[in-house]
PDB file of all heavy atoms in Angstrom:
ATOM      1  N   MET A   1      66.696 121.546 128.875  1.00 65.00           N
ATOM      2  CA  MET A   1      67.738 122.549 128.738  1.00 65.00           C
ATOM      3  C   MET A   1      67.761 123.009 127.287  1.00 65.00           C
ATOM      4  O   MET A   1      67.889 122.211 126.375  1.00 65.00           O
ATOM      5  CB  MET A   1      69.086 121.938 129.148  1.00 65.00           C
ATOM      6  CG  MET A   1      70.182 122.945 129.212  1.00 65.00           C
ATOM      7  SD  MET A   1      71.750 122.287 129.799  1.00 65.00           S
ATOM      8  CE  MET A   1      71.460 122.156 131.542  1.00 65.00           C
ATOM      9  N   ASP A   2      67.658 124.299 127.078  1.00 78.00           N
ATOM     10  CA  ASP A   2      67.646 124.820 125.709  1.00 78.00           C
ATOM     11  C   ASP A   2      69.029 125.367 125.330  1.00 78.00           C
ATOM     12  O   ASP A   2      69.975 125.326 126.117  1.00 78.00           O
ATOM     13  CB  ASP A   2      66.550 125.863 125.524  1.00 78.00           C
ATOM     14  CG  ASP A   2      66.786 127.136 126.341  1.00 78.00           C
ATOM     15  OD1 ASP A   2      67.738 127.168 127.133  1.00 78.00           O
ATOM     16  OD2 ASP A   2      66.013 128.089 126.171  1.00 78.00           O
ATOM     17  N   ALA A   3      69.124 125.901 124.140  1.00 81.00           N
ATOM     18  CA  ALA A   3      70.400 126.381 123.605  1.00 81.00           C
ATOM     19  C   ALA A   3      70.958 127.544 124.424  1.00 81.00           C
ATOM     20  O   ALA A   3      72.171 127.635 124.637  1.00 81.00           O
ATOM     21  CB  ALA A   3      70.239 126.795 122.148  1.00 81.00           C
ATOM     22  N   ASN A   4      70.086 128.428 124.896  1.00 83.00           N
ATOM     23  CA  ASN A   4      70.561 129.566 125.702  1.00 83.00           C
ATOM     24  C   ASN A   4      71.150 129.113 127.029  1.00 83.00           C
ATOM     25  O   ASN A   4      72.146 129.667 127.494  1.00 83.00           O
ATOM     26  CB  ASN A   4      69.429 130.569 125.934  1.00 83.00           C
ATOM     27  CG  ASN A   4      69.073 131.331 124.677  1.00 83.00           C
ATOM     28  OD1 ASN A   4      69.934 131.558 123.833  1.00 83.00           O
ATOM     29  ND2 ASN A   4      67.811 131.711 124.542  1.00 83.00           N
ATOM     30  N   ASP A   5      70.531 128.102 127.631  1.00 82.00           N
ATOM     31  CA  ASP A   5      71.076 127.559 128.877  1.00 82.00           C
ATOM     32  C   ASP A   5      72.451 126.941 128.647  1.00 82.00           C
ATOM     33  O   ASP A   5      73.372 127.134 129.447  1.00 82.00           O
ATOM     34  CB  ASP A   5      70.142 126.499 129.467  1.00 82.00           C
ATOM     35  CG  ASP A   5      68.850 127.094 130.014  1.00 82.00           C
ATOM     36  OD1 ASP A   5      68.854 128.294 130.368  1.00 82.00           O
ATOM     37  OD2 ASP A   5      67.861 126.347 130.091  1.00 82.00           O
ATOM     38  N   LEU A   6      72.589 126.217 127.559  1.00 81.00           N
ATOM     39  CA  LEU A   6      73.883 125.617 127.238  1.00 81.00           C
ATOM     40  C   LEU A   6      74.941 126.684 126.984  1.00 81.00           C
ATOM     41  O   LEU A   6      76.088 126.554 127.420  1.00 81.00           O
ATOM     42  CB  LEU A   6      73.760 124.696 126.022  1.00 81.00           C
ATOM     43  CG  LEU A   6      73.024 123.390 126.242  1.00 81.00           C
ATOM     44  CD1 LEU A   6      72.841 122.656 124.922  1.00 81.00           C
ATOM     45  CD2 LEU A   6      73.780 122.514 127.221  1.00 81.00           C
ATOM     46  N   LYS A   7      74.566 127.750 126.293  1.00 79.00           N
ATOM     47  CA  LYS A   7      75.514 128.840 126.019  1.00 79.00           C
ATOM     48  C   LYS A   7      75.947 129.515 127.310  1.00 79.00           C
ATOM     49  O   LYS A   7      77.132 129.772 127.515  1.00 79.00           O
ATOM     50  CB  LYS A   7      74.909 129.855 125.060  1.00 79.00           C
ATOM     51  CG  LYS A   7      75.885 130.958 124.684  1.00 79.00           C
ATOM     52  CD  LYS A   7      75.316 131.865 123.649  1.00 79.00           C
ATOM     53  CE  LYS A   7      76.225 132.988 123.240  1.00 79.00           C
ATOM     54  NZ  LYS A   7      77.377 133.273 124.001  1.00 79.00           N
ATOM     55  N   ARG A   8      75.003 129.802 128.204  1.00 80.00           N
ATOM     56  CA  ARG A   8      75.347 130.430 129.484  1.00 80.00           C
ATOM     57  C   ARG A   8      76.262 129.517 130.297  1.00 80.00           C
ATOM     58  O   ARG A   8      77.232 129.979 130.900  1.00 80.00           O
ATOM     59  CB  ARG A   8      74.081 130.744 130.278  1.00 80.00           C
ATOM     60  CG  ARG A   8      73.425 132.056 129.883  1.00 80.00           C
ATOM     61  CD  ARG A   8      72.376 132.473 130.895  1.00 80.00           C
ATOM     62  NE  ARG A   8      71.252 131.535 130.959  1.00 80.00           N
ATOM     63  CZ  ARG A   8      70.215 131.546 130.123  1.00 80.00           C
ATOM     64  NH1 ARG A   8      70.152 132.446 129.163  1.00 80.00           N
ATOM     65  NH2 ARG A   8      69.241 130.674 130.245  1.00 80.00           N
ATOM     66  N   LYS A   9      75.977 128.249 130.288  1.00 78.00           N
ATOM     67  CA  LYS A   9      76.802 127.294 131.035  1.00 78.00           C
ATOM     68  C   LYS A   9      78.216 127.231 130.458  1.00 78.00           C
ATOM     69  O   LYS A   9      79.201 127.234 131.199  1.00 78.00           O
ATOM     70  CB  LYS A   9      76.151 125.908 130.985  1.00 78.00           C
ATOM     71  CG  LYS A   9      76.719 124.930 131.945  1.00 78.00           C
ATOM     72  CD  LYS A   9      75.887 123.655 131.952  1.00 78.00           C
ATOM     73  CE  LYS A   9      76.245 122.820 133.132  1.00 78.00           C
ATOM     74  NZ  LYS A   9      75.423 121.629 133.252  1.00 78.00           N
ATOM     75  N   ALA A  10      78.318 127.202 129.141  1.00 72.00           N
ATOM     76  CA  ALA A  10      79.630 127.164 128.493  1.00 72.00           C
ATOM     77  C   ALA A  10      80.406 128.454 128.751  1.00 72.00           C
ATOM     78  O   ALA A  10      81.613 128.423 128.989  1.00 72.00           O
ATOM     79  CB  ALA A  10      79.477 126.931 126.996  1.00 72.00           C
ATOM     80  N   ASP A  11      79.723 129.591 128.713  1.00 73.00           N
ATOM     81  CA  ASP A  11      80.387 130.873 128.933  1.00 73.00           C
ATOM     82  C   ASP A  11      80.896 131.026 130.364  1.00 73.00           C
ATOM     83  O   ASP A  11      81.887 131.710 130.606  1.00 73.00           O
ATOM     84  CB  ASP A  11      79.451 132.034 128.609  1.00 73.00           C
ATOM     85  CG  ASP A  11      79.201 132.186 127.120  1.00 73.00           C
ATOM     86  OD1 ASP A  11      79.990 131.635 126.329  1.00 73.00           O
ATOM     87  OD2 ASP A  11      78.210 132.844 126.746  1.00 73.00           O
ATOM     88  N   SER A  12      80.229 130.386 131.303  1.00 77.00           N
ATOM     89  CA  SER A  12      80.632 130.521 132.703  1.00 77.00           C
ATOM     90  C   SER A  12      81.700 129.509 133.114  1.00 77.00           C
ATOM     91  O   SER A  12      82.241 129.609 134.213  1.00 77.00           O
ATOM     92  CB  SER A  12      79.411 130.380 133.613  1.00 77.00           C
ATOM     93  OG  SER A  12      78.920 129.051 133.553  1.00 77.00           O
ATOM     94  N   MET A  13      82.044 128.576 132.251  1.00 74.00           N
ATOM     95  CA  MET A  13      83.004 127.524 132.623  1.00 74.00           C
ATOM     96  C   MET A  13      84.426 128.049 132.776  1.00 74.00           C
ATOM     97  O   MET A  13      85.157 127.609 133.642  1.00 74.00           O
ATOM     98  CB  MET A  13      82.978 126.393 131.607  1.00 74.00           C
ATOM     99  CG  MET A  13      81.727 125.563 131.679  1.00 74.00           C
ATOM    100  SD  MET A  13      81.766 124.210 130.536  1.00 74.00           S
ATOM    101  CE  MET A  13      82.424 122.936 131.569  1.00 74.00           C
ATOM    102  N   ASN A  14      84.842 128.947 131.923  1.00 66.00           N
ATOM    103  CA  ASN A  14      86.211 129.450 131.963  1.00 66.00           C
ATOM    104  C   ASN A  14      86.202 130.927 131.574  1.00 66.00           C
ATOM    105  O   ASN A  14      86.705 131.294 130.510  1.00 66.00           O
ATOM    106  CB  ASN A  14      87.092 128.633 131.007  1.00 66.00           C
ATOM    107  CG  ASN A  14      88.562 128.921 131.183  1.00 66.00           C
ATOM    108  OD1 ASN A  14      88.959 129.726 132.000  1.00 66.00           O
ATOM    109  ND2 ASN A  14      89.380 128.270 130.383  1.00 66.00           N
ATOM    110  N   PRO A  15      85.676 131.789 132.444  1.00 68.00           N
ATOM    111  CA  PRO A  15      85.522 133.198 132.065  1.00 68.00           C
ATOM    112  C   PRO A  15      86.843 133.922 131.818  1.00 68.00           C
ATOM    113  O   PRO A  15      86.894 134.870 131.055  1.00 68.00           O
ATOM    114  CB  PRO A  15      84.773 133.811 133.248  1.00 68.00           C
ATOM    115  CG  PRO A  15      84.998 132.880 134.388  1.00 68.00           C
ATOM    116  CD  PRO A  15      85.199 131.519 133.789  1.00 68.00           C
ATOM    117  N   GLN A  16      87.944 133.475 132.433  1.00 68.00           N
ATOM    118  CA  GLN A  16      89.233 134.119 132.213  1.00 68.00           C
ATOM    119  C   GLN A  16      89.914 133.614 130.940  1.00 68.00           C
ATOM    120  O   GLN A  16      90.949 134.125 130.545  1.00 68.00           O
ATOM    121  CB  GLN A  16      90.186 133.863 133.400  1.00 68.00           C
ATOM    122  CG  GLN A  16      89.747 134.507 134.683  1.00 68.00           C
ATOM    123  CD  GLN A  16      88.721 133.660 135.416  1.00 68.00           C
ATOM    124  OE1 GLN A  16      88.587 132.476 135.169  1.00 68.00           O
ATOM    125  NE2 GLN A  16      87.979 134.281 136.311  1.00 68.00           N
ATOM    126  N   LYS A  17      89.343 132.605 130.314  1.00 66.00           N
ATOM    127  CA  LYS A  17      89.873 132.014 129.083  1.00 66.00           C
ATOM    128  C   LYS A  17      91.324 131.570 129.259  1.00 66.00           C
ATOM    129  O   LYS A  17      92.171 131.795 128.416  1.00 66.00           O
ATOM    130  CB  LYS A  17      89.739 132.988 127.914  1.00 66.00           C
ATOM    131  CG  LYS A  17      88.297 133.316 127.592  1.00 66.00           C
ATOM    132  CD  LYS A  17      88.218 134.311 126.454  1.00 66.00           C
ATOM    133  CE  LYS A  17      86.807 134.574 126.045  1.00 66.00           C
ATOM    134  NZ  LYS A  17      86.051 135.417 126.919  1.00 66.00           N
ATOM    135  N   GLU A  18      91.610 130.939 130.399  1.00 69.00           N
ATOM    136  CA  GLU A  18      92.949 130.457 130.676  1.00 69.00           C
ATOM    137  C   GLU A  18      93.121 129.047 130.128  1.00 69.00           C
ATOM    138  O   GLU A  18      92.178 128.259 130.105  1.00 69.00           O
ATOM    139  CB  GLU A  18      93.215 130.456 132.182  1.00 69.00           C
ATOM    140  CG  GLU A  18      93.294 131.846 132.773  1.00 69.00           C
ATOM    141  CD  GLU A  18      93.564 131.819 134.263  1.00 69.00           C
ATOM    142  OE1 GLU A  18      93.558 130.726 134.861  1.00 69.00           O
ATOM    143  OE2 GLU A  18      93.773 132.899 134.828  1.00 69.00           O
ATOM    144  N   GLU A  19      94.336 128.766 129.703  1.00 70.00           N
ATOM    145  CA  GLU A  19      94.650 127.427 129.226  1.00 70.00           C
ATOM    146  C   GLU A  19      94.784 126.478 130.413  1.00 70.00           C
ATOM    147  O   GLU A  19      95.164 126.895 131.510  1.00 70.00           O
ATOM    148  CB  GLU A  19      95.981 127.438 128.456  1.00 70.00           C
ATOM    149  CG  GLU A  19      95.946 128.235 127.186  1.00 70.00           C
ATOM    150  CD  GLU A  19      95.109 127.584 126.097  1.00 70.00           C
ATOM    151  OE1 GLU A  19      94.680 126.432 126.264  1.00 70.00           O
ATOM    152  OE2 GLU A  19      94.887 128.237 125.081  1.00 70.00           O
ATOM    153  N   GLY A  20      94.496 125.229 130.166  1.00 75.00           N
ATOM    154  CA  GLY A  20      94.720 124.219 131.182  1.00 75.00           C
ATOM    155  C   GLY A  20      96.202 123.908 131.290  1.00 75.00           C
ATOM    156  O   GLY A  20      97.013 124.341 130.458  1.00 75.00           O
ATOM    157  N   PRO A  21      96.602 123.140 132.293  1.00 82.00           N
ATOM    158  CA  PRO A  21      98.027 122.863 132.490  1.00 82.00           C
ATOM    159  C   PRO A  21      98.656 122.067 131.344  1.00 82.00           C
ATOM    160  O   PRO A  21      99.818 122.298 131.001  1.00 82.00           O
ATOM    161  CB  PRO A  21      98.074 122.078 133.802  1.00 82.00           C
ATOM    162  CG  PRO A  21      96.684 121.579 134.019  1.00 82.00           C
ATOM    163  CD  PRO A  21      95.771 122.532 133.325  1.00 82.00           C
ATOM    164  N   VAL A  22      97.907 121.182 130.731  1.00 84.00           N
ATOM    165  CA  VAL A  22      98.455 120.387 129.621  1.00 84.00           C
ATOM    166  C   VAL A  22      98.696 121.277 128.405  1.00 84.00           C
ATOM    167  O   VAL A  22      99.770 121.258 127.798  1.00 84.00           O
ATOM    168  CB  VAL A  22      97.521 119.209 129.271  1.00 84.00           C
ATOM    169  CG1 VAL A  22      98.019 118.483 128.038  1.00 84.00           C
ATOM    170  CG2 VAL A  22      97.412 118.257 130.448  1.00 84.00           C
TER     171      VAL A  22
END
Side-chain angles (χ1 to χ4, degrees):
M1 188 176 284
D2 66 354
N4 288 330
D5 290 335
L6 288 174
K7 183 175 179 347
R8 277 193 296 277
K9 193 172 194 176
D11 288 342
S12 68
M13 289 183 93
N14 191 0
Q16 294 83 19
K17 297 178 176 76
E18 292 180 353
E19 295 290 351
V22 174

